[in-house]
Amino acid sequence: MNITFCCTDTKAEPWLAGLHAALPDASVEVWQPGSPQADYAVVWAPPQQFLDEQPRLKALFNIGAGVDALLQLKLPPATRVVRLDDAGMSVQMAEYVCHAVIRHFREFDGYEADVSQGKWSFRKPRSRIDFPVGVLGLGVLGERVAQALRVFEFPVHGWSRSPKTLEGVVCHNGPDRLDSFLGQCRVLVNLLPLTPETSDILNRRTLSLLKPGGYLINVARGAHLVEADLIELLDRGHLAGATLDVFRTEPLPASHPFWQHPGIRITPHTSARTLRTESIAQIVGKIAALERGEPVAGVVDPARGY
Ligand code: NAP
Ligand code: GLV
């Protein structure tokens, strides 16, 4: 079996070593123009030339959950695209989002500012009933995040394409229910895939539907958010703040207003990192299943976009 590795911005050696260790009989090589046809590929942001030169892959394993960049390319029509299916990401996403929600709800930024000035002062306790959290996207990551928020007893709503039943979560689905979902939330967490249907979904109109004092946490993709609209709503006071992990341009340009905005907390696309050991174990398990002719989870539907 031949496995080709083509991951931009990723150190190849540890991946090759891990794949070799798990599949000692397989040949695992870094792709170069002109490399022979492989059976499987492990990719992140490959060039179009890679896909053009590998038309008969049995599967293309994306070492991330989001496949929006990959689906911009012309893919070999018979090749399955398989995304990472949790592989240690959902717990990271749950801790990131809970941290952001709790930091905002408990006003820890305000306490930090007070303490830095030597002030011993209290704020009035807030009621979590007044902070219903909405999770856009109830997939692998969104479901875990919604469940983690329930542990802290926030009222939790979720929105997905298809109907869902999740214990303790008020589930909404479909474009017709988006506005009523948003109207019931004060904190909004975005965990949608980036598709033509979800691009720019966080905009002046939709964010204005959040309850006054709304708070945005975007951990999915930068292109979900119309950035100027967020700044306008923060400056107008309809939104109280935002925690952003993803941006339309990454790295975030030095001149971008988000760096300095007092209401915005940023992190550098780090909310749920790809974990190499877990990812290799998942990919190797899926290769074995495919070789036995069994179905695997995480196969992307290119028509749906995720
Ligand atoms: P997923 O399992 O594919 O779940 C996607 C969810 O979004 C599903 O519940 C789906 O509904 C819903 N959805 C998709 N299109 C929709 C639409 N038009 N209307 C309503 N709901 C829609 O994805 P995931 O693994 O949870 O990951 C979500 C995204 O997180 C990824 O695509 C990626 O962009 C981002 N991400 C970011 C980081 C980071 O570090 N910042 C890390 C990993 C992933 P159905 O359930 O009905 O299909
Ligand atoms: C990261 O953003 C991913 O999609 O895995």
Side-chain angles (χ1 to χ4, degrees):
M1 177 193 304
N2 292 319
I3 301 176
T4 185
F5 182 86
C6 184
C7 296
T8 308
D9 296 333
T10 306
K11 215 165 146 202
E13 292 75 26
W15 283 86
L16 298 188
L19 287 162
H20 267 307
L23 294 168
D25 295 335
S27 143
V28 189
E29 302 286 347
V30 173
W31 175 82
Q32 285 169 355
S35 287
Q37 173 70 55
D39 300 302
Y40 295 99
V42 175
V43 303
W44 182 254
Q48 182 63 51
Q49 186 183 0
F50 167 83
L51 297 166
D52 294 343
E53 291 188 12
Q54 294 286 323
R56 290 183 300 284
L57 293 166
K58 295 187 205 172
L60 192 64
F61 292 97
N62 184 58
I63 60 164
V67 289
D68 43 291
L70 194 54
L71 295 187
Q72 299 298 311
L73 301 170
K74 190 168 178 294
L75 293 163
T79 297
R80 289 180 199 85
V81 175
V82 187
R83 43 139 312 167
L84 280 185
D85 189 15
D86 192 341
M89 280 191 189
S90 71
V91 66
Q92 297 177 69
M93 200 52 102
E95 69 198 359
Y96 182 101
V97 171
C98 287
H99 175 265
V101 171
I102 292 167
R103 184 170 70 188
H104 173 59
F105 171 66
R106 294 291 306 272
E107 301 185 86
F108 286 140
D109 287 344
Y111 278 111
E112 251 177 58
D114 289 350
V115 167
S116 71
Q117 291 170 23
K119 263 199 232 160
W120 182 274
S121 61
F122 294 103
R123 284 151 204 265
K124 193 166 169 262
R126 292 164 147 186
S127 167
R128 58 200 74 226
I129 294 295
D130 297 330
F131 284 79
V133 185
V135 182
L136 286 165
L138 291 173
V140 174
L141 303 181
E143 178 177 342
R144 178 71 180 257
V145 164
Q147 284 167 344
L149 289 162
R150 283 298 303 151
V151 172
F152 295 102
E153 299 179 15
F154 289 101
V156 181
H157 294 254
W159 184 71
S160 54
R161 181 199 289 267
S162 55
K164 307 253 177 227
T165 310
L166 298 181
E167 203 185 329
V169 178
V170 185
C171 295
H172 312 246
N173 70 282
D176 300 346
R177 307 310 301 266
L178 177 63
D179 290 6
S180 60
F181 157 80
L182 292 169
Q184 293 173 68
C185 306
R186 179 153 173 195
V187 179
L188 184 66
V189 179
N190 178 35
L191 271 166
L192 289 166
L194 182 65
T195 69
E197 286 167 21
T198 65
S199 178
D200 293 339
I201 193 167
L202 305 170
N203 57 50
R204 184 185 296 108
R205 193 194 75 77
T206 53
L207 295 175
S208 297
L209 294 171
L210 293 176
K211 288 178 183 294
Y215 194 90
L216 173 68
I217 299 171
N218 188 18
V219 277
R221 286 291 182 264
H224 283 126
L225 173 65
V226 181
E227 294 180 339
D229 290 2
L230 172 65
I231 291 181
E232 184 195 312
L233 289 170
L234 287 168
D235 291 348
R236 251 208 276 139
H238 181 71
L239 294 184
T243 291
L244 307 175
D245 185 49
V246 288
F247 305 92
R248 293 189 95 94
T249 305
E250 294 180 4
L252 189 64
S255 60
H256 198 288
F258 284 174
W259 285 106
Q260 304 300 336
H261 198 288
I264 297 178
R265 287 277 177 168
I266 63 171
T267 50
H269 199 143
T270 198
S271 50
R273 304 288 294 273
T274 293
L275 303 179
R276 191 174 55 242
T277 305
E278 288 83 342
S279 303
I280 289 173
Q282 183 170 102
I283 290 167
V284 167
K286 288 185 181 182
I287 289 177
L290 291 172
E291 289 293 303
R292 292 191 300 268
E294 295 168 7
V296 294
V299 176
V300 171
D301 175 356
R304 208 175 56 159
Y306 67 100

